Amino acid sequence: MVTLQPAPHLILHTDAGSTPLLLVDGNCWTFGRSEDNTFVIRDRWISRNHAMLQWMETGEFYLIDLGSRNGSFVNGRRVSIPVTLHNGDCLTFGQTELQFHCSVLRSPDPSIGSDSKEFTATATLHVRSLISVLVVDIRDFTVLTRQLDEKILSEVIGTWFRCAGDIIREYGSWVDKYIGDAVMAVWTHGTQGVSRDETLRIFQAVNALHKMTNSLYSQYPLPFPLKIGAGINTGFAMVGNTGSGDRPDYTPLGDTVNAAFRLESATKQIGMDIAIGETTYAYVTRLVGECDFFDPHTVDLKGYDTPTLTHGCLFVDLESFLRAKVGTTGYG
């Protein structure tokens, strides 16, 4: 006797009862208040386009938050990066709860060809999102590698990466990339745009990273105190899976990301600790207030045909700014 397994589905729990939401057509399903979603949820605490569920060709299901204002939660934990769902997981959007059910991995639909627009080899879906990208780099790292024992160097960089990840998570983001002696973090903003709190959290994270980096000098026998440079850029980017089905890699792509790296490099050119893009500066002044400590600079960014306007500052000025605006400056 063959036992038929139930199709993957969600159970939507409301005051009126429980409703099954079948996951059988296509390979992605969206949730939110807007009528253009696969599943429209009438909850004022949910964003118009709140979250997305994506099925990979491996049979796994991923939950992806779409920059919602109040966040998406799996088993009570807020998700900032795509997470794999397991049978029985509880999802929370706003004040709405759903339970995920998938007793076996879903097999690819043979009726959907590999060249179909409905299905790709990597089940890729890119979403255009407003983001802020932070790139932080350790200054004079090459000099450090020449003067420090390899074992100690490994411990130092390992500690720096671990602490950097903790700080960035504390302030509402995640480390998208670890690159040599640098990290890249991404804040995904909702459809309502950048908020004042998000803007302050980004700068709090930068300041905390600066303090943490300085503290390593007292923990390890370093030849000189470590410093960082930071570039911040805000704009739209295509966010999606650039990896394969068994190794998904959700990351933003586009000029917003490239410019953040170039701005970090420009900090050396302008003699500043932090360089931010024009759009970031516009949000800061509009949401937080005038920032006289940011000085305008025109820089030649690598790969750009025309000079670029950036605004730079030192960490000592950022510290004073944060004390005035939020009363605390983070790490330590």
Side-chain angles (χ1 to χ4, degrees), residues 105-181:
L105 292 179
R106 174 184 167 188
S107 300
D109 186 344
S111 65
I112 302 177
S114 60
D115 58 346
S116 170
K117 292 181 180 179
E118 298 180 59
F119 184 89
T120 65
T122 57
T124 301
L125 178 66
H126 289 81
V127 179
R128 188 171 185 265
S129 302
L130 179 63
I131 63 171
S132 287
V133 180
L134 166 66
V135 176
V136 177
D137 178 80
I138 299 178
R139 295 278 177 83
D140 301 319
F141 186 74
T142 301
V143 177
L144 184 69
T145 61
R146 294 172 179 168
Q147 299 183 23
L148 202 60
D149 177 79
E150 289 183 356
K151 182 178 180 181
I152 297 178
L153 179 65
S154 177
E155 291 181 11
V156 171
I157 195 65
T159 300
W160 187 76
F161 277 143
R162 185 179 67 256
C163 292
D166 291 341
I167 288 170
I168 289 168
R169 281 190 294 274
E170 178 183 351
Y171 290 103
S173 180
W174 75 94
V175 175
D176 184 90
K177 292 284 187 297
Y178 292 98
I179 313 165
D181 59 341

Side-chain angles (χ1 to χ4, degrees), residues 289-311:
E290 290 300 322
C291 304
D292 297 335
F293 63 92
F294 272 111
D295 296 326
H297 298 268
T298 300
V299 293
D300 294 314
L301 300 184
K302 184 179 179 181
Y304 290 75
D305 297 331
T306 58
T308 301
L309 177 64
T310 183
H311 292 78

